[in-house]
Amino acid sequence: MSLHGESEVLLTPAEVASLFRVDPKTVTRWAKAGKLSSIRTLGGHRRYKESEVRALLGAASEDAHPDK
């Protein structure tokens, strides 16, 4: 996908799930709950912006290790 010449890397639910070490269905539930925004492909599949996922992953790791 590209907006005005910028391209954003999109991740599948399985790729996001592996980063967080959760089941892909959990990632879908997060999207439905509004914790993570998703983009729908023409086929109806969800994709997630890598930048948003990495930011959420960073926030999650800071919450788990506040002393670092």
Side-chain angles (χ1 to χ4, degrees), residues 20 52-64:
F20 284 95
E52 184 180 351
V53 170
R54 296 279 180 195
L56 187 61
L57 188 60
S61 67
E62 286 177 13
D63 288 344

PDB file of all heavy atoms in Angstrom, residues 20 52-64:
ATOM      1  N   PHE A  20       4.220 -10.955  19.527  1.00  0.00           N
ATOM      2  CA  PHE A  20       3.686 -10.857  20.888  1.00  0.00           C
ATOM      3  C   PHE A  20       3.616 -12.210  21.601  1.00  0.00           C
ATOM      4  O   PHE A  20       3.235 -12.268  22.768  1.00  0.00           O
ATOM      5  CB  PHE A  20       2.282 -10.234  20.870  1.00  0.00           C
ATOM      6  CG  PHE A  20       2.283  -8.758  20.661  1.00  0.00           C
ATOM      7  CD1 PHE A  20       2.128  -8.218  19.393  1.00  0.00           C
ATOM      8  CD2 PHE A  20       2.438  -7.885  21.731  1.00  0.00           C
ATOM      9  CE1 PHE A  20       2.127  -6.839  19.192  1.00  0.00           C
ATOM     10  CE2 PHE A  20       2.439  -6.516  21.546  1.00  0.00           C
ATOM     11  CZ  PHE A  20       2.286  -5.998  20.272  1.00  0.00           C
ATOM     12  N   GLU A  52       2.798   0.700  13.954  1.00  0.00           N
ATOM     13  CA  GLU A  52       1.885   0.688  15.097  1.00  0.00           C
ATOM     14  C   GLU A  52       2.125  -0.536  15.981  1.00  0.00           C
ATOM     15  O   GLU A  52       2.109  -0.445  17.214  1.00  0.00           O
ATOM     16  CB  GLU A  52       0.436   0.716  14.613  1.00  0.00           C
ATOM     17  CG  GLU A  52      -0.558   0.793  15.738  1.00  0.00           C
ATOM     18  CD  GLU A  52      -2.010   0.821  15.269  1.00  0.00           C
ATOM     19  OE1 GLU A  52      -2.255   0.947  14.045  1.00  0.00           O
ATOM     20  OE2 GLU A  52      -2.890   0.707  16.129  1.00  0.00           O
ATOM     21  N   VAL A  53       2.371  -1.676  15.337  1.00  0.00           N
ATOM     22  CA  VAL A  53       2.631  -2.909  16.086  1.00  0.00           C
ATOM     23  C   VAL A  53       3.909  -2.765  16.901  1.00  0.00           C
ATOM     24  O   VAL A  53       3.951  -3.109  18.078  1.00  0.00           O
ATOM     25  CB  VAL A  53       2.721  -4.123  15.121  1.00  0.00           C
ATOM     26  CG1 VAL A  53       3.221  -5.355  15.841  1.00  0.00           C
ATOM     27  CG2 VAL A  53       1.369  -4.387  14.481  1.00  0.00           C
ATOM     28  N   ARG A  54       4.970  -2.213  16.278  1.00  0.00           N
ATOM     29  CA  ARG A  54       6.245  -2.035  16.984  1.00  0.00           C
ATOM     30  C   ARG A  54       6.092  -1.064  18.155  1.00  0.00           C
ATOM     31  O   ARG A  54       6.674  -1.284  19.224  1.00  0.00           O
ATOM     32  CB  ARG A  54       7.316  -1.520  16.030  1.00  0.00           C
ATOM     33  CG  ARG A  54       7.657  -2.481  14.919  1.00  0.00           C
ATOM     34  CD  ARG A  54       8.601  -3.537  15.358  1.00  0.00           C
ATOM     35  NE  ARG A  54       8.894  -4.445  14.245  1.00  0.00           N
ATOM     36  CZ  ARG A  54       9.451  -5.617  14.388  1.00  0.00           C
ATOM     37  NH1 ARG A  54       9.788  -6.051  15.573  1.00  0.00           N
ATOM     38  NH2 ARG A  54       9.676  -6.381  13.353  1.00  0.00           N
ATOM     39  N   ALA A  55       5.291  -0.011  17.984  1.00  0.00           N
ATOM     40  CA  ALA A  55       5.054   0.940  19.067  1.00  0.00           C
ATOM     41  C   ALA A  55       4.324   0.265  20.227  1.00  0.00           C
ATOM     42  O   ALA A  55       4.670   0.468  21.396  1.00  0.00           O
ATOM     43  CB  ALA A  55       4.252   2.135  18.553  1.00  0.00           C
ATOM     44  N   LEU A  56       3.324  -0.536  19.892  1.00  0.00           N
ATOM     45  CA  LEU A  56       2.575  -1.258  20.922  1.00  0.00           C
ATOM     46  C   LEU A  56       3.464  -2.290  21.612  1.00  0.00           C
ATOM     47  O   LEU A  56       3.406  -2.447  22.830  1.00  0.00           O
ATOM     48  CB  LEU A  56       1.350  -1.936  20.302  1.00  0.00           C
ATOM     49  CG  LEU A  56       0.361  -2.595  21.249  1.00  0.00           C
ATOM     50  CD1 LEU A  56      -0.234  -1.581  22.217  1.00  0.00           C
ATOM     51  CD2 LEU A  56      -0.747  -3.272  20.462  1.00  0.00           C
ATOM     52  N   LEU A  57       4.304  -2.937  20.846  1.00  0.00           N
ATOM     53  CA  LEU A  57       5.234  -3.921  21.406  1.00  0.00           C
ATOM     54  C   LEU A  57       6.218  -3.231  22.357  1.00  0.00           C
ATOM     55  O   LEU A  57       6.505  -3.739  23.436  1.00  0.00           O
ATOM     56  CB  LEU A  57       5.977  -4.624  20.277  1.00  0.00           C
ATOM     57  CG  LEU A  57       6.856  -5.808  20.648  1.00  0.00           C
ATOM     58  CD1 LEU A  57       6.036  -6.911  21.301  1.00  0.00           C
ATOM     59  CD2 LEU A  57       7.551  -6.341  19.413  1.00  0.00           C
ATOM     60  N   GLY A  58       6.702  -2.059  21.980  1.00  0.00           N
ATOM     61  CA  GLY A  58       7.602  -1.300  22.845  1.00  0.00           C
ATOM     62  C   GLY A  58       6.928  -0.877  24.134  1.00  0.00           C
ATOM     63  O   GLY A  58       7.507  -0.974  25.210  1.00  0.00           O
ATOM     64  N   ALA A  59       5.670  -0.438  24.038  1.00  0.00           N
ATOM     65  CA  ALA A  59       4.915  -0.045  25.219  1.00  0.00           C
ATOM     66  C   ALA A  59       4.666  -1.247  26.126  1.00  0.00           C
ATOM     67  O   ALA A  59       4.747  -1.149  27.352  1.00  0.00           O
ATOM     68  CB  ALA A  59       3.591   0.594  24.820  1.00  0.00           C
ATOM     69  N   ALA A  60       4.399  -2.387  25.530  1.00  0.00           N
ATOM     70  CA  ALA A  60       4.140  -3.608  26.312  1.00  0.00           C
ATOM     71  C   ALA A  60       5.402  -4.045  27.034  1.00  0.00           C
ATOM     72  O   ALA A  60       5.344  -4.463  28.195  1.00  0.00           O
ATOM     73  CB  ALA A  60       3.634  -4.727  25.404  1.00  0.00           C
ATOM     74  N   SER A  61       6.546  -3.936  26.383  1.00  0.00           N
ATOM     75  CA  SER A  61       7.794  -4.352  27.033  1.00  0.00           C
ATOM     76  C   SER A  61       8.192  -3.368  28.137  1.00  0.00           C
ATOM     77  O   SER A  61       8.755  -3.756  29.144  1.00  0.00           O
ATOM     78  CB  SER A  61       8.924  -4.517  26.026  1.00  0.00           C
ATOM     79  OG  SER A  61       9.281  -3.284  25.476  1.00  0.00           O
ATOM     80  N   GLU A  62       7.872  -2.085  27.964  1.00  0.00           N
ATOM     81  CA  GLU A  62       8.137  -1.102  29.029  1.00  0.00           C
ATOM     82  C   GLU A  62       7.253  -1.348  30.237  1.00  0.00           C
ATOM     83  O   GLU A  62       7.684  -1.196  31.377  1.00  0.00           O
ATOM     84  CB  GLU A  62       7.916   0.316  28.496  1.00  0.00           C
ATOM     85  CG  GLU A  62       9.018   0.793  27.573  1.00  0.00           C
ATOM     86  CD  GLU A  62       8.747   2.163  27.012  1.00  0.00           C
ATOM     87  OE1 GLU A  62       7.827   2.865  27.503  1.00  0.00           O
ATOM     88  OE2 GLU A  62       9.454   2.555  26.082  1.00  0.00           O
ATOM     89  N   ASP A  63       5.999  -1.748  30.002  1.00  0.00           N
ATOM     90  CA  ASP A  63       5.084  -2.064  31.104  1.00  0.00           C
ATOM     91  C   ASP A  63       5.583  -3.293  31.869  1.00  0.00           C
ATOM     92  O   ASP A  63       5.443  -3.381  33.083  1.00  0.00           O
ATOM     93  CB  ASP A  63       3.672  -2.323  30.590  1.00  0.00           C
ATOM     94  CG  ASP A  63       2.980  -1.047  30.110  1.00  0.00           C
ATOM     95  OD1 ASP A  63       3.474   0.051  30.450  1.00  0.00           O
ATOM     96  OD2 ASP A  63       1.947  -1.158  29.430  1.00  0.00           O
ATOM     97  N   ALA A  64       6.169  -4.241  31.153  1.00  0.00           N
ATOM     98  CA  ALA A  64       6.641  -5.472  31.784  1.00  0.00           C
ATOM     99  C   ALA A  64       7.962  -5.239  32.545  1.00  0.00           C
ATOM    100  O   ALA A  64       8.235  -5.920  33.518  1.00  0.00           O
ATOM    101  CB  ALA A  64       6.841  -6.562  30.736  1.00  0.00           C
TER     102      ALA A  64
END
